[in-house]
Amino acid sequence: GRLDPEEWLGLDPSSCLKLTRTHDLEMAKQPSQVWLMRDRRWLYVGVRSQIDPSQPLRKKSVWGDDDGVELAFRGAEGGKGTTFVLRGYPSMRFQTLSQGGAKPKEIERISDGVSIRAKLYPRRRYWTMEWRISLRAIGLDPRSARQVAFNVTVCKPGSQEMVCWRPSTAETWRLDGKGILTLAPQPPPRRIMMPGLTPTR
């Protein structure tokens, strides 16, 4: 749950998604930052969320009542299909919602393909969360998928805010095409022969 610069390409502020507005289009009192990386199988999401210093972090797992992070994904091609909605909490519990059309088997697949960790920094007045998400679990073929409709929302009950990357007056998981995540292509795997070694049968 700790965002180490060595793991997150330096945690460069210029390369993060800046969550500065609420779902009702107001400027956020407590903004958040999100970093994303990928490899051949996984999408990694790191979230740093400022909190109201006068309010304790709410650590249960009820969306709207407790601090949490919502991620929403949908294949960008054609603008239709299942929207996968994931919600994670400082308790390190996560939920997969069916409201976006996810079927029971898809929800089970996501449950097996997602892990989260969280860490609280009370003196620094923020908390962090790391996600590891199987690309296939959210319906993306790592060999060919390049774009996905995307949004991330951080629930901040202390300041009574839903802070979003792409604000919407509808439900935060409803993707209207304004937020597109482009996945960088991965180089083909290389076979490296070490000097002095011979293949075994």
Side-chain angles (χ1 to χ4, degrees):
R2 182 177 63 204
L3 302 186
D4 291 321
E6 295 81 5
E7 293 179 331
W8 290 92
L9 304 178
L11 282 179
D12 185 355
S14 66
S15 65
C16 73
L17 304 182
K18 297 176 175 63
L19 280 59
T20 60
R21 289 189 176 273
T22 68
H23 75 289
D24 52 4
L25 310 180
E26 299 292 333
M27 291 300 298
K29 301 173 189 174
Q30 306 292 336
S32 293
Q33 299 82 38
V34 178
W35 287 266
L36 299 106
M37 299 186 301
R38 68 159 294 195
D39 58 23
R40 298 183 191 281
R41 297 180 54 199
W42 306 95
L43 176 68
Y44 304 93
V45 183
V47 182
R48 181 162 58 197
S49 178
Q50 296 180 20
I51 58 177
D52 186 335
S54 67
Q55 299 290 330
L57 191 75
R58 302 184 188 182
K59 301 180 182 180
K60 294 184 180 180
S61 308
V62 179
W63 186 253
D65 292 340
D66 301 301
D67 289 88
V69 175
E70 177 188 86
L71 306 176
F73 305 90
R74 187 188 65 226
E77 293 78 6
K80 297 182 181 180
T82 300
T83 298
F84 295 99
V85 186
L86 287 66
R87 289 175 179 168
Y89 301 91
S91 62
M92 289 189 281
R93 291 188 59 192
F94 79 89
Q95 305 162 338
T96 304
L97 277 64
S98 60
Q99 283 91 326
K103 298 177 175 60
K105 287 187 177 181
E106 292 173 318
I107 292 175
E108 182 179 355
R109 184 180 67 201
I110 290 175
S111 297
D112 293 336
V114 174
S115 59
I116 65 172
R117 293 291 185 272
K119 185 171 180 61
L120 173 62
Y121 299 84
R123 294 184 179 180
R124 301 181 190 177
R125 300 175 180 176
Y126 68 83
W127 68 286
T128 58
M129 175 175 282
E130 292 182 303
W131 295 75
R132 187 183 73 165
I133 304 166
S134 164
L135 293 170
R136 290 192 180 277
I138 56 174
L140 297 176
D141 184 344
R143 298 169 299 179
S144 59
R146 290 292 176 265
Q147 288 190 330
V148 57
F150 175 70
N151 200 12
V152 52
T153 303
V154 182
C155 180
K156 300 170 182 278
S159 54
Q160 299 183 344
E161 297 178 300
M162 293 281 187
V163 181
C164 310
W165 179 47
R166 289 292 180 260
S168 172
T169 54
E171 292 94 336
T172 51
W173 55 266
R174 292 191 182 275
L175 303 176
D176 55 11
K178 294 180 181 178
I180 300 294
L181 184 64
T182 300
L183 304 179
Q186 296 290 290
R190 294 186 304 166
R191 297 184 64 186
I192 300 175
M193 293 297 295
M194 299 297 293
L197 297 180
T198 57
T200 58
R201 294 182 180 179

